[in-house]
């Protein structure tokens, strides 16, 4: 099985209009046997998107057409490739009840899903830590240091792993070192070894898969996968199931760095 299980779509408000067919045909051409579309799920009820462009989440009205279109394509391409219908759900501290509701509503129609942390809570306000280096650095100033941002990030990811989110909680944790995205945009070298190891241990304990996410390699301030290669190896040694994801927001990025990430893990 050759799998890419973290792919965005023409429905992504901050992605591209590249068609599903463009992604699917490329995957088939490259010998992939199994792909998951995992668009950003709609925001949990009552959550206000704090990014300036307000485009982090799938519009609620787009959910039905997204699933409907994928159901059609899944059948159409069934002979050539397995297409899984999925979503990337946000874990947002304080919205556990609303997220559970969302999962219960949509979960039954999905084949696959990912649980990711993009928003961090500080004093009742939420910051999207992967939006831009500017937003990231501002947030670090708010928290007093880059180290504090890292600690808060891993604590939130760890809470996402142990959170009770009902029967449809995703089985896979998305890019659990996303906080490295802007590591070259500042001079602080944070030793987060223990925090990553603890996160992996929790994933193992709670039986989660790891989204081995290659997108960070393409980010100018990151230049490494999420999590870094050494931790992909460690996760494998620990017996955590690894699931490759290119996190493509355009067809061009589909399967990006697959060989590099996969062969070294
Ligand atoms: Zn996205
Ligand atoms: Zn993500």
């Amino acid at each position: 099985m050759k799998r890419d299980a973290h792919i965005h779509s023409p429905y992504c408000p901050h992605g591209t209009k590249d068609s599903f067919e463009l992604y699917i045909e490329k995957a088939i051409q490259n010998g992939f046997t199994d792909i998951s579309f995992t668009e950003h799920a709609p925001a949990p009820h009552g959550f206000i998107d704090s990014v300036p462009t307000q485009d982090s989440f799938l519009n609620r009205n787009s959910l039905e057409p997204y699933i409907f279109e994928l159901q059609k394509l899944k059948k159409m391409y069934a002979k050539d490739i397995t297409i899984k219908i999925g979503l990337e759900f946000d874990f947002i501290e304080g919205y556990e009840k609303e997220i559970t509701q969302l999962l219960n509503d949509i979960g039954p129609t999905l084949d696959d899903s990912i649980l990711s942390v993009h928003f961090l809570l500080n004093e009742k306000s939420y910051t999207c830590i992967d939006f831009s280096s500017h937003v990231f650095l501002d947030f670090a100033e708010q928290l007093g240091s880059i180290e504090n941002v890292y600690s808060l990030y891993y604590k939130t990811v760890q809470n996402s792993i142990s959170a009770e989110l009902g029967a449809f909680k995703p089985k896979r944790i998305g890019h659990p070192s996303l906080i490295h995205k802007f590591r070259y945009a500042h001079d602080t070298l944070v030793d987060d070894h223990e925090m990553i190891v603890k996160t992996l241990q929790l994933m193992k304990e709670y039986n989660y898969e790891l989204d081995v996410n290659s997108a960070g390699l393409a980010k100018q301030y990151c230049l490494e996968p999420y999590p870094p290669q050494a931790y992909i190896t460690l996760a494998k040694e620990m017996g955590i199931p690894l699931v490759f994801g290119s996190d493509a927001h355009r067809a061009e990025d589909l399967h990006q760095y697959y060989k590099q990430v996969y062969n070294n893990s």
Side-chain angles (χ1 to χ4, degrees):
M1 182 165 76
K2 196 172 172 188
R3 188 174 177 198
D4 186 340
H6 189 154
I7 306 171
H8 291 272
S9 77
Y11 286 87
C12 183
H14 56 261
T16 59
K17 292 291 161 221
D18 285 358
S19 68
F20 281 121
E21 287 87 344
L22 217 53
Y23 289 95
I24 297 166
E25 299 281 348
K26 182 174 175 182
I28 295 169
Q29 268 165 28
N30 285 283
F32 281 78
T33 57
D34 195 305
I35 55 172
S36 297
F37 286 98
T38 51
E39 195 44 76
H40 296 280
H45 187 74
F47 182 75
I48 312 249
D49 188 356
S50 59
V51 313
T53 40
Q54 294 224 315
D55 58 359
S56 303
F57 300 94
L58 185 69
N59 191 308
R60 279 233 177 207
N61 300 331
S62 300
L63 186 62
E64 213 175 300
Y66 168 75
I67 290 175
F68 183 74
E69 200 176 330
L70 276 174
Q71 281 169 340
K72 242 175 31 191
L73 291 164
K74 186 177 160 166
K75 280 196 201 115
M76 232 173 84
Y77 284 99
K79 272 203 211 83
D80 303 309
I81 193 164
T82 301
I83 299 173
K84 291 201 170 93
I85 306 174
L87 288 170
E88 178 180 16
F89 288 88
D90 265 85
F91 177 76
I92 303 169
E93 290 271 21
Y95 280 84
E96 290 80 355
K97 224 175 64 196
E98 291 80 359
I99 296 165
T100 307
Q101 186 66 55
L102 192 64
L103 285 163
N104 288 343
D105 285 349
I106 317 172
T109 55
L110 301 178
D111 308 312
D112 193 13
S113 57
I114 300 175
L115 188 64
S116 300
V117 170
H118 305 99
F119 289 89
L120 295 182
L121 170 63
N122 177 48
E123 288 176 359
K124 291 186 182 163
S125 83
Y126 293 90
T127 300
C128 179
I129 43 87
D130 70 320
F131 182 73
S132 69
S133 57
H134 186 77
V135 167
F136 176 91
L137 294 172
D138 268 3
F139 190 55
E141 218 171 283
Q142 222 186 92
L143 290 193
S145 70
I146 304 276
E147 282 92 343
N148 290 346
V149 180
Y150 272 57
S151 302
L152 180 60
Y153 170 77
Y154 288 107
K155 220 181 85 202
T156 309
V157 174
Q158 288 161 13
N159 289 344
S160 79
I161 295 167
S162 57
E164 297 241 4
L165 299 175
F168 296 99
K169 185 176 176 184
K171 303 271 176 280
R172 186 155 74 259
I173 301 297
H175 46 61
S177 69
L178 184 64
I179 205 67
H180 287 194
K181 184 171 177 181
F182 302 114
R183 68 191 182 116
Y184 289 131
H186 55 80
D187 298 327
T188 313
L189 190 67
V190 183
D191 179 7
D192 57 358
H193 174 75
E194 294 300 328
M195 295 185 257
I196 300 182
V197 170
K198 193 180 167 198
T199 305
L200 292 178
Q201 282 167 344
L202 270 179
M203 285 176 59
K204 171 76 183 161
E205 191 185 325
Y206 284 84
N207 283 317
Y208 284 101
E209 301 168 340
L210 171 64
D211 170 43
V212 172
N213 190 306
S214 61
L217 278 162
K219 302 286 189 276
Q220 58 161 328
Y221 293 128
C222 186
L223 307 179
E224 62 177 22
Y226 311 120
Q229 206 74 52
Y231 297 98
I232 299 174
T233 308
L234 176 63
K236 192 180 180 183
E237 284 165 9
M238 291 167 71
I240 296 171
L242 309 183
V243 181
F244 175 82
S246 59
D247 207 347
H249 285 69
R250 52 180 185 172
E252 196 190 326
D253 293 339
L254 191 68
H255 324 314
Q256 54 186 337
Y257 301 102
Y258 176 81
K259 279 202 185 103
Q260 183 179 333
V261 170
Y262 215 78
N263 290 345
N264 292 329
S265 62

